[in-house]
């Protein structure tokens, strides 16, 4: 049988409030064995290494400013936010109630990418497109209108086209067919822990409009392309290791003996006198001014004839081919 107090609360309201206050104000539990861990920190660290992504986002934002000016006559300012990592389960609650969600597969990134265009942005652009710039943009409720949906399709194509152009130097992208939803149901069907790289752009049109849109790229697929999003490292030439025999040869070559000769003078004579030469014949020559030096019969240098330390000598004045 039950006691009369079985249905009574174990703690009073005052005790419950005291426990809640304690949990909020006290530091996190840490007994030296267990510590809190942010499971998103690893992905955030990875994104911080993709330093080239910041330049791509700035260039894309600048291209989008030109696009809005050409297509809608709007001198807009488009500012990119730092890329973030988020999971599908966390993205859904933050999405606008009125939106156009454009889904496509962007090769070579495996998996679906999503472009979220909020209804407020679409309403403003539709109003500008149909000449309502002098009239305040109406505040609409419910799903996006057919006009907003058609504009979302064209705007989505333009955003992806400029993405392809800006990223072409780093990564060749190729969007596939576009699927346009007016609810986030397609994203809701994905696993809640599906990771995305979130690229957010803030659009400001003077005092008339300020809002943002987001491009969601599959994290794991983009991670495979990480080297293309990092600075190009200059190749460091590897030191050439000379074979042992080559080193020995280089040290031995300078010690090889060669024959050097010097041509002191040239004498012209007749064939008759040449045939009359015999042992003891004296051939007079003029004292030379210059001497030609040769090694193994190949001309090496020219030198002036003279004396050095009591001996006849030649002082090199120039080497062959140096003129």
């Amino acid at each position: 049988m039950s006691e009369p107090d079985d249905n009574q609360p174990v703690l009073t309201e005052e005790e419950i409030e005291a426990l809640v206050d304690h949990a909020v104000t006290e530091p996190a539990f840490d007994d030296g064995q267990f510590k809190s861990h942010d499971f998103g920190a690893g992905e955030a660290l990875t994104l911080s290494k993709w330093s080239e992504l910041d330049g791509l986002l700035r260039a894309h934002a600048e291209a989008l400013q030109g696009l809005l000016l050409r297509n809608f006559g709007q001198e807009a300012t488009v500012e990119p936010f730092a890329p973030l990592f988020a999971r599908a389960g966390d993205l859904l609650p933050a999405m606008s109630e009125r939106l156009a969600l454009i889904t496509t597969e962007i090769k070579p990134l495996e998996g679906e990418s999503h472009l979220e265009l909020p209804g407020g942005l679409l309403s403003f652009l539709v109003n500008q497109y149909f000449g309502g710039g002098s009239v305040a943009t109406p505040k609409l409720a419910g799903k996006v209108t057919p006009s907003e949906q058609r504009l979302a399709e064209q705007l989505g194509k333009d955003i992806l086209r400029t993405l392809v152009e800006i990223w072409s130097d780093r990564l060749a992208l190729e969007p596939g067919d576009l699927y346009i939803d007016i609810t986030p149901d397609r994203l809701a069907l994905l696993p809640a822990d599906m990771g995305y790289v979130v690229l957010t752009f803030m659009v400001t049109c003077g005092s008339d409009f300020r809002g943002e849109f987001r491009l969601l790229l599959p994290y794991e697929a983009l991670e495979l392309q990480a080297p293309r999003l990092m600075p190009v490292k200059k190749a460091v030439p590897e030191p050439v290791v000379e074979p042992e025999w080559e080193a020995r040869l280089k040290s031995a070559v300078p010690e090889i003996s060669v024959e050097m000769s010097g041509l002191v003078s040239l004498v012209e004579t007749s064939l008759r006198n040449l045939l009359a030469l015999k042992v003891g014949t004296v051939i007079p020559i003029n004292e030379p001014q210059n001497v030609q030096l040769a090694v193994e019969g190949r001309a090496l240098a020219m030198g002036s004839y003279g004396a050095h330390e009591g001996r006849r000598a030649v002082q090199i004045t120039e080497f062959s081919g140096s003129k």
Side-chain angles (χ1 to χ4, degrees):
M1 297 188 57
S2 62
E3 295 295 332
D5 293 338
D6 280 354
N7 294 327
Q8 298 298 319
V10 177
L11 299 176
T12 66
E13 292 185 3
E14 291 78 7
E15 290 171 331
I16 293 175
E17 290 179 359
L19 286 174
V20 172
D21 292 339
H22 177 79
V24 172
T25 57
E26 288 297 313
F29 172 75
D30 182 5
D31 63 354
Q33 295 182 350
F34 302 96
K35 296 183 179 180
S36 61
H37 177 72
D38 182 1
F39 286 94
E43 290 82 0
L45 179 61
T46 300
L47 285 179
S48 67
K49 296 179 181 178
W50 300 350
S51 57
E52 296 301 305
L53 189 55
D54 292 336
L56 294 174
L57 294 179
R58 287 193 298 271
H60 193 189
E62 185 176 348
L64 292 175
Q65 290 181 173
L67 185 150
L68 292 174
L69 182 60
R70 290 191 303 272
N71 293 358
F72 302 96
Q74 286 297 306
E75 294 185 356
T77 300
V78 182
E79 302 176 18
F81 290 175
L84 297 175
F85 171 82
R87 301 188 186 279
D90 299 324
L91 289 170
L92 282 169
M95 287 189 170
S96 172
E97 294 182 1
R98 295 186 72 247
L99 59 76
L101 186 67
I102 299 177
T103 301
T104 185
E105 186 168 347
I106 305 176
K107 293 296 184 180
L109 306 180
E110 293 296 333
E112 293 182 341
S113 297
H114 308 276
L115 178 61
E116 177 196 352
L117 299 174
L121 173 62
L122 298 175
S123 298
F124 174 76
L125 294 178
V126 167
N127 191 51
Q128 300 299 313
Y129 187 79
F130 288 103
S134 60
V135 180
T137 303
K139 303 293 183 181
L140 302 179
K143 302 293 188 292
V144 297
T145 65
S147 296
E148 292 171 339
Q149 188 173 346
R150 288 193 296 272
L151 184 140
E153 180 179 6
Q154 185 58 49
L155 181 60
K157 290 179 180 178
D158 290 337
I159 291 174
L160 293 175
R161 175 180 55 78
T162 54
L163 176 76
V164 170
E165 294 173 355
I166 298 300
W167 285 49
S168 60
D169 291 340
R170 283 283 169 179
L171 180 61
L173 299 176
E174 184 180 351
D177 295 334
L178 303 186
Y179 299 92
I180 303 175
D181 296 320
I182 57 176
T183 68
D185 292 347
R186 192 180 187 96
L187 201 61
L189 297 176
L190 298 174
D193 61 349
M194 180 74 176
Y196 284 95
V197 177
V198 183
L199 308 180
T200 305
F201 296 87
M202 174 64 70
V203 180
T204 304
C205 298
S207 59
D208 298 329
F209 176 80
R210 181 176 176 84
E212 60 187 46
F213 68 88
R214 296 184 292 179
L215 177 61
L216 314 178
L217 302 177
Y219 171 79
E220 292 185 359
L222 197 59
E223 189 178 23
L224 296 176
Q225 308 296 331
R228 300 177 181 272
L229 302 175
M230 298 179 182
V232 178
K233 295 182 178 180
K234 295 182 179 180
V236 179
E238 297 183 0
V240 179
V241 180
E242 297 179 350
E244 184 178 355
W245 64 266
E246 188 173 350
R248 291 182 179 179
L249 180 61
K250 286 183 177 180
S251 62
V253 165
E255 303 303 324
I256 297 176
S257 298
V258 294
E259 181 179 287
M260 178 182 289
S261 60
L263 181 60
V264 177
S265 180
L266 292 175
V267 177
E268 291 187 4
T269 186
S270 64
L271 184 57
R272 181 187 302 277
N273 293 335
L274 184 61
L275 296 174
L277 292 178
K278 59 183 179 179
V279 177
T281 300
V282 177
I283 302 175
I285 60 174
N286 297 323
E287 185 175 356
Q289 297 295 321
N290 297 309
V291 176
Q292 183 181 39
L293 299 177
V295 176
E296 301 293 337
R298 296 176 62 90
L300 173 65
M302 293 294 295
S304 60
Y305 184 75
H308 178 70
E309 296 182 354
R311 303 177 61 185
R312 295 295 180 183
V314 176
Q315 184 181 41
I316 295 177
T317 56
E318 64 180 71
F319 288 91
S320 301
S322 61
K323 289 185 177 181

